[in-house]
Amino acid sequence: NALSIIDVSAGKSLNTVLLDDVHLGAANPWGVACSADGKLIAVAHAGTHELSVIDRIGLHTKLAREAGAASASSDLSFLTGLRRRIKLTGRGPRGLTLIGGKAYAAEYFSDSLAVADLNASSNDGVRSIALGPKIPMTPRRKGELFFNDGTLCFQQWQSCASCHPDARADALNWDLLNDGIGNPKNSRSMLLAHKTPPAMSLAVREDAESAVRSGIKFIQFAVRPEEDAAAIDEYLKALKPVPSPHLTHEGRLSPAAVRGKSVFMNAGCAKCHYGPELTSKKAYDVGTSTGIDSGKAIDTPTLIEVWRTAPYLHDGRSRTMMDVLTRDNPEDKHGSTRGLSEQMLRDLAEYVLSR
């Protein structure tokens, strides 16, 4: 959970500072704003329901003065004395602006507007303004709240959404305890997770329900009531796929994708990716596991919404779908693609990305 300082005129990053404290995380920084006089920077923490208010001048002075400032990105005490944390009364602050000595933040899960007096010495200057009638907290909405709530985690370091924004993937590799240590895996989308068991890249959980509960225990290091996990299940089950931008304006396959569908069938891709979820729900050794996982079978992912989940394969080695079909499939273990022409490969990629 960090803030990066960018020299806009030079077009380069100057440094990054951590927003966490030594013993207290600041999960899911979302909105960021600077006061009109340039003295303050504020950050809305959607996961911990609070604001960070940073002495902007002091921050830049410290970065310029300290020889060790290059290590600011790994120093949990760097903002000590330069930042204060303001606890909000609503939940899920996201969009943020500073006007006339006050911070205003959109509190997503409270359907309210937070107002915080930046000059107040305590939290007495904090209130929430309701934006409409109170929205009922259904099991699904409660699950979405829990999925995005960093306060459920030990010391508030992260929420489920830290790696799965909007319950999709963040395009990063993480080395977490749910499936061992020393074997970082590319984040997976949670879309259709409950319909496509097993779960996790190495299929170490028999289904998404057990993965959710193991994630709370081994990733968030927390013990929570069963109803919390059940609510998260309801939220994830309710996720709906977004139509691919590779489809035509009428929502149909493009001519290239139509040709690619035929290639998909002839190249054997449909042997593992079939049915309404486009997965066999089985794990195979497709020659991509390495290190301590070498030779292990990899769970067949759904191809639904694959257009939004790059990079690809369980360790994120493939930047594009063409990489999946060419460079990272040398032995034809996930589709017989070596003999395909350049045009056939492009058509195949277009079809897959249209799903």
Side-chain angles (χ1 to χ4, degrees), residues 77-90:
S77 64
F78 191 83
L79 288 180
T80 300
L82 299 175
R83 184 268 300 269
R84 60 192 177 99
R85 298 170 74 152
I86 300 176
K87 196 69 178 176
L88 302 179
T89 55

Side-chain angles (χ1 to χ4, degrees), residues 3 17-19 21 26 31-35 37-45 48 50-59 79-88 96-98 101-105 115-123 125-126:
L3 176 74
V17 294
L18 296 180
L19 295 165
D21 287 317
V32 61
C34 191
S35 60
D37 60 11
K39 292 182 178 180
L40 299 175
I41 298 172
V43 179
H45 295 278
T48 53
E50 61 185 341
L51 300 179
S52 281
V53 181
I54 302 167
D55 174 357
R56 203 277 307 171
I57 297 174
L59 169 63
L79 288 180
T80 300
L82 299 175
R83 184 268 300 269
R84 60 192 177 99
R85 298 170 74 152
I86 300 176
K87 196 69 178 176
L88 302 179
L96 174 69
T97 190
L98 306 184
K102 289 184 170 61
Y104 300 86
V115 183
D117 186 346
L118 298 176
N119 298 311
S121 57
S122 67
N123 273 22
V126 176

Side-chain angles (χ1 to χ4, degrees), residues 174-187:
W174 293 93
D175 192 4
L176 303 171
L177 292 180
N178 207 356
D179 60 354
I181 196 74
N183 52 353
K185 300 288 188 298
N186 191 31
S187 293

